[in-house]
Amino acid sequence: MPRLLIFLLLCSFAHADEFDPLRTVVSKAVAKGNPPGAVLWFESGGKKLTLVEGQRSLTPAKEAMTEDTIFDAASLTKVVATLPCILILMEQGKIELEAEVRRYIPEFRPGITVRHLLTHTSGLKPGIPKEPEWTGYATGIARAVASEADGPPDRFFRYSDINFILLGEIVQRVSGMKLNEFATKHVFEPLHMDSTRFLPPDDWKPRIAPTEKDENGTMLRGVVHDPTSRKMGGVTGHAGLFTTAGDLAKYARIYLQGGAGILNPDTLKLMTTPQTVATVFERRGLGWDIDSAFSRPRGKTFPIGSFGHTGFTGTSLWIDPPSQTFVILMSSRLHPNGKGSVRDLYEDIGTAAAHCTTLIPTSGPPWPRDEKEVPTVLNGIDVLARRKFSDLRGKRIGLITNQTGIDAQRHSTIDLLANAPEVKLKKLFSPEHGIRGELDQEKISNSTDKKTGLPVLSLFGEHRAPTAEQLADIDALVFDIQDIGCRFYTYIGTMRLCMEAAAKAHKSFYVLDRVNPIGGLAIEGPAVVDAEKPTATHAIPLRHGMTAGELAAMMNAERGMGCDLKIIPVEGWQRQMLFDQTGLPWINPSPNMRSLNAALLYPGIGLLEFSISVGRGTDTPFEVLGAPYIDDLRLAHELNKLGLPGIQFTPIRFTPTASVFKGEACGGVRMAVTYRAALHPVEAGIAFACTLQRLYPKEFKLDLVNTLLNRDKSVKLIRAGESYKKVVATWEEEALAFEARRKGFLRYPTE
């Protein structure tokens, strides 16, 4: 008896290993009959576990589960078949990610792109309605095309089969091959996935796990479970694929092997990193789930940044490339009556799998979201805070900021750095308008910050840059101010002078980067200046389309500063995004910059602010302009006749309480931005100047336009009566040269 006990114990110890947590989780679930049977496939580095449990079939007869059991993959079809087909065609140059779907399906609605379908941010409904009764592939596509959206794209995440039904149709129309044929040729055959296909043949049936009975009482075995796919013939972009755990393992390995010749490494990175806009709470890659309510297979331990997908029939795949890990579950959860659930099992398996491998800690994006977090673009200060201020740890800091130095929750950068662990905030430097952005005066004096007691040293008074004495007791300068994307806004001039001071004093210079509120695509205006001055600190166009960090890198390189420049980047911003698409709170960058519309108009309207009233001293600065001598009806008529894109003019009369023509009744126009993407504010500003010069040559002070335009030749053309189009055309070559200059300094993507 003792010998038998010892033998049993030895057997027990021999069986116990690092995979026991996984074995236990699956065995317990199958023992309870939920699911009746399962195949688990786990690989991590050189370790592998294949676990087969329970029954493949219970009715009409019991059949034991086997490792080579074929399962209805359900929605794994989306990422195992449709997704790689789309991306292969994209690599071939036949599909563009940001192209509208109607390029490939002309009868489809405008505005929805291929990316919107892949990320489930199209706004389309979850599926094709069952009623009225319908059948057939062509009818299904017609209904998908006609499906009404519940909102514009990029506003919310909604998992939708229609998205992938349309993607499957795109594969067919672009390649000229049916989805199943293209996937077999370009994915399944190269990977030797010999037990993977749509429409499995009859001789596969003995190996196929049945699901449940259809509406006619027939047990589905080898026939797709998804009702929509079944109506459409079993080959659709969202469902219909049959496969084994072993074949899925072959597919999963391409994500650990740099594409394995199926996809390029850059494509893999694109598809498995967040592609949803920053203002959508859920994070989705192209096809893959990263962080959403569907992320149950990640469990409680796999890091954000791993990715996967599930299928309605009880299938799941989760992949963590840094640890070279994937875990596959194939189950018979719907058999025999459709009532089983593996939602909790997904999470339990993910958690157990993570415990069976050595995870590689990550500290970068994507960051885990708090349940109550409101998703926004992250400015540099938000990124710095999520890094726990590690970039500045142990350093004595001088902070250049004002009221725009806030995080997404409006916490002041001053307060954040003052309270940051192991960061020593020593002094503050304030630009034009002061540390709180409330002053509109020629010079600003030094002061003391009431909350922190720190000295506030003015950079808009006796000095325009920190002195060597002021920098002596610090290790680095940190710049955190919201620019608005216009050359003559003085904050970027302050940044340049501070960078030069830091370089001379051998101090590091950190830019906490911020979005360009008027976008990072369009550039306008002369890119060469007649003379450098605070409103023309570097040879860039009036509308430059760059962030402060990008400009800092450009100036550092082109001016040979030798500054030890560090840029804490923005995360989630794309160059086409305007400020109101970031989710961030607006705070007036200066007393008269009170709205995004004003900022959009400013690069052009601002050119006139020394010549006429541009609304300073009204409720809407830079959205109205006028002068006492102007006939408002005539001016509005003349400007509207020009047909300037994206802008409309209404005649008004107003009396500014500040600046030019203070206290005088003015005739003028109110400017409405009607189409932001078409608006060319600098072109509009020159058109205003040309029109005012033509209508009021004696009263209009044209020479003062050159204060900010900084191009004497252009002013001479306006005086000579040339059209605004000819004036603008003279800048085309230097604009092209600037595009080439800035290309190497751009940090953020276009969609």
Side-chain angles (χ1 to χ4, degrees):
M1 189 69 175
R3 289 181 179 178
L4 177 60
L5 181 60
I6 292 171
F7 175 76
L8 291 173
L9 286 171
L10 288 173
C11 289
S12 175
F13 291 146
H15 181 70
D17 60 27
E18 60 187 316
F19 297 131
D20 270 359
L22 273 172
R23 289 194 179 95
T24 300
V25 166
V26 178
S27 297
K28 282 185 177 180
V30 172
K32 293 178 181 179
N34 187 25
V39 178
L40 181 82
W41 194 296
F42 170 77
E43 290 187 19
S44 183
K47 300 182 294 185
K48 174 184 171 182
L49 170 68
T50 304
L51 184 63
V52 181
E53 293 280 347
Q55 305 297 312
R56 175 162 65 205
S57 173
L58 296 176
T59 181
K62 285 188 176 182
E63 298 175 25
M65 186 67 73
T66 61
E67 183 178 318
D68 67 349
T69 294
I70 299 170
F71 294 85
D72 180 338
S75 283
L76 287 187
T77 302
K78 294 179 172 72
V79 292
V80 178
T82 309
L83 175 64
C85 290
I86 287 286
L87 295 175
I88 288 167
L89 289 168
M90 191 174 76
E91 290 182 351
Q92 293 175 356
K94 297 176 181 178
I95 292 177
E96 291 183 16
L97 186 60
E98 298 303 333
E100 290 193 356
V101 174
R102 62 178 176 167
R103 179 188 295 183
Y104 313 108
I105 305 177
E107 64 270 31
F108 193 61
R109 72 188 68 248
I112 295 175
T113 66
V114 174
R115 177 178 63 84
H116 293 139
L117 299 183
L118 286 166
T119 56
H120 295 288
T121 55
S122 65
L124 294 172
K125 296 182 184 301
I128 300 172
K130 296 179 181 179
E131 303 296 337
E133 189 61 36
W134 62 277
T135 189
Y137 182 85
T139 303
I141 294 299
R143 294 207 170 200
V145 166
S147 177
E148 291 293 329
D150 288 330
D154 274 339
R155 297 291 180 86
F156 56 86
F157 163 78
R158 174 191 281 155
Y159 186 83
S160 168
D161 286 341
I162 294 177
N163 290 325
F164 273 77
I165 290 171
L166 293 169
L167 288 166
E169 176 67 3
I170 289 174
V171 171
Q172 179 167 315
R173 295 199 189 190
V174 171
S175 71
M177 300 171 66
K178 291 182 178 179
L179 174 64
N180 58 325
E181 296 169 350
F182 190 90
T184 297
K185 179 178 179 179
H186 293 278
V187 182
F188 307 148
E189 286 182 350
L191 291 175
H192 304 290
M193 296 170 67
D194 302 323
S195 296
T196 300
R197 63 171 294 171
F198 293 84
L199 305 174
D202 288 342
D203 60 357
W204 283 21
K205 276 191 177 180
R207 290 171 52 203
I208 296 176
T211 51
E212 62 173 322
K213 293 180 180 179
D214 66 11
E215 58 275 9
N216 299 315
T218 302
M219 182 63 69
L220 295 171
R221 186 166 193 170
V223 176
V224 61
H225 176 269
D226 181 86
T228 300
S229 185
R230 203 157 66 241
K231 287 182 180 182
M232 294 178 68
V235 180
T236 51
H238 75 295
L241 190 68
F242 286 78
T243 190
T244 65
D247 272 9
L248 280 182
K250 295 174 183 177
Y251 178 72
R253 290 184 195 115
I254 73 173
Y255 293 89
L256 310 182
Q257 298 171 357
I262 303 298
L263 292 166
N264 294 331
D266 287 345
T267 303
L268 288 184
K269 183 178 180 181
L270 183 72
M271 66 198 288
T272 59
T273 52
Q275 298 299 318
T276 40
V277 294
T279 49
V280 169
F281 186 87
E282 296 83 0
R283 266 85 70 97
R284 302 281 300 197
L286 300 181
W288 293 105
D289 178 66
I290 294 173
D291 187 21
S292 77
F294 295 90
S295 300
R296 296 182 193 92
R298 191 178 71 228
K300 297 178 179 178
T301 310
F302 275 120
I304 301 289
S306 57
F307 55 90
H309 211 282
T310 62
F312 185 78
T313 53
T315 60
S316 70
L317 167 61
W318 202 261
I319 304 173
D320 181 47
S323 65
Q324 291 286 290
T325 299
F326 64 83
V327 58
I328 296 164
L329 173 68
M330 308 296 280
S331 78
S332 51
R333 78 100 176 168
L334 289 176
H335 190 67
N337 55 17
K339 295 182 179 180
S341 173
V342 291
R343 290 162 59 99
D344 293 339
L345 182 59
Y346 286 149
E347 182 173 334
D348 292 343
I349 286 174
T351 302
H355 289 163
C356 294
T357 192
T358 303
L359 296 178
I360 298 174
T362 58
S363 57
W367 311 96
R369 292 203 194 278
D370 184 270
E371 289 183 5
K372 296 181 179 179
E373 179 179 342
V374 177
T376 70
V377 167
L378 300 181
N379 276 323
I381 182 59
D382 300 283
V383 173
L384 183 66
R386 295 210 180 195
R387 293 179 181 177
K388 302 187 185 302
F389 304 95
S390 59
D391 302 76
L392 303 180
R393 190 168 296 143
K395 291 181 170 60
R396 300 169 298 169
I397 298 300
L399 174 62
I400 309 154
T401 193
N402 62 6
Q403 80 289 348
T404 65
I406 57 172
D407 69 5
Q409 287 74 42
R410 295 188 177 87
H411 300 133
S412 166
T413 300
I414 298 173
D415 297 338
L416 290 169
L417 292 187
N419 295 309
E422 299 181 55
V423 176
K424 302 171 184 177
L425 183 59
K426 301 285 288 183
K427 59 190 67 175
L428 308 174
F429 295 90
S430 67
E432 183 181 4
H433 305 300
I435 200 74
R436 300 299 175 189
E438 299 167 345
L439 305 176
D440 203 2
Q441 57 196 53
E442 289 295 322
K443 288 188 176 182
I444 297 173
S445 302
N446 295 340
S447 60
T448 300
D449 180 58
K450 294 180 181 179
K451 187 169 183 179
T452 62
L454 292 170
V456 180
L457 306 172
S458 174
L459 301 178
F460 203 74
E462 183 180 348
H463 302 288
R464 295 299 173 104
T467 65
E469 183 181 3
Q470 291 169 344
L471 297 179
D473 60 345
I474 65 171
D475 302 308
L477 282 172
V478 175
F479 181 89
D480 188 21
I481 298 177
Q482 179 65 66
D483 182 42
I484 66 155
C486 177
R487 183 179 73 198
F488 49 79
Y489 217 52
T490 61
Y491 296 154
I492 57 174
T494 296
M495 180 178 70
R496 189 206 108 191
L497 295 174
C498 290
M499 288 173 61
E500 290 175 342
K504 289 178 183 177
H506 305 290
K507 309 292 183 180
S508 298
F509 193 91
Y510 290 80
V511 176
L512 306 188
D513 211 2
R514 290 186 170 270
V515 304
N516 185 322
I518 61 174
L521 292 179
I523 63 169
E524 285 189 82
V528 178
V529 297
D530 287 348
E532 283 189 1
K533 50 186 177 179
T535 54
T537 194
H538 194 63
I540 58 176
L542 295 170
R543 183 181 185 182
H544 50 71
M546 299 177 74
T547 67
E550 292 172 336
L551 284 170
M554 172 182 270
M555 291 189 288
N556 192 33
E558 293 187 344
R559 305 178 79 87
M561 291 184 195
C563 178
D564 180 24
L565 177 65
K566 318 284 187 182
I567 299 170
I568 309 297
V570 175
E571 287 179 7
W573 184 68
Q574 298 171 346
R575 307 203 75 82
Q576 76 279 6
M577 293 172 69
L578 302 185
F579 193 87
D580 59 5
Q581 296 170 302
T582 66
L584 294 166
W586 175 271
I587 186 167
N588 295 343
S590 55
N592 286 286
M593 192 60 62
R594 301 176 190 171
S595 70
L596 177 57
N597 272 358
L600 282 166
L601 291 165
Y602 184 70
I605 303 304
L607 295 173
L608 305 171
E609 68 174 296
F610 296 99
S611 304
I612 61 174
S613 172
V614 293
R616 290 181 184 270
T618 73
D619 292 336
T620 53
F622 308 117
E623 297 183 63
V624 299
L625 58 79
Y629 54 81
I630 288 176
D631 179 338
D632 57 323
L633 294 170
R634 175 76 183 278
L635 180 61
H637 173 72
E638 294 292 334
L639 291 174
N640 283 325
K641 272 202 316 182
L642 296 175
L644 296 169
I647 189 169
Q648 189 76 21
F649 306 96
T650 303
I652 62 166
R653 295 194 65 80
F654 64 95
T655 302
T657 61
S659 194
V660 179
F661 299 130
K662 174 182 177 181
E664 297 185 55
C666 296
V669 293
R670 181 178 301 280
M671 294 161 283
V673 178
T674 56
Y675 185 30
R676 301 188 312 190
L679 176 68
H680 302 296
V682 177
E683 181 180 85
I686 298 301
F688 300 157
C690 290
T691 302
L692 291 170
Q693 177 65 18
R694 175 170 56 85
L695 294 177
Y696 309 104
K698 294 181 180 180
E699 296 90 347
F700 179 57
K701 298 178 180 179
L702 176 61
D703 287 341
L704 295 181
V705 172
N706 206 34
T707 306
L708 298 178
L709 181 61
N710 211 323
R711 180 58 69 83
D712 188 57
K713 290 180 181 179
S714 298
V715 173
K716 288 179 179 178
L717 288 174
I718 297 171
R719 191 182 305 281
E722 296 289 355
S723 72
Y724 74 91
K725 291 184 178 179
K726 183 170 182 179
V727 177
V728 171
T730 63
W731 309 327
E732 288 179 359
E733 287 189 12
E734 60 199 74
L736 290 173
F738 176 74
E739 283 277 21
R741 282 172 52 206
R742 80 172 192 157
K743 189 174 182 180
F745 302 103
L746 300 183
R747 303 175 66 93
Y748 307 106
T750 303
E751 297 185 306

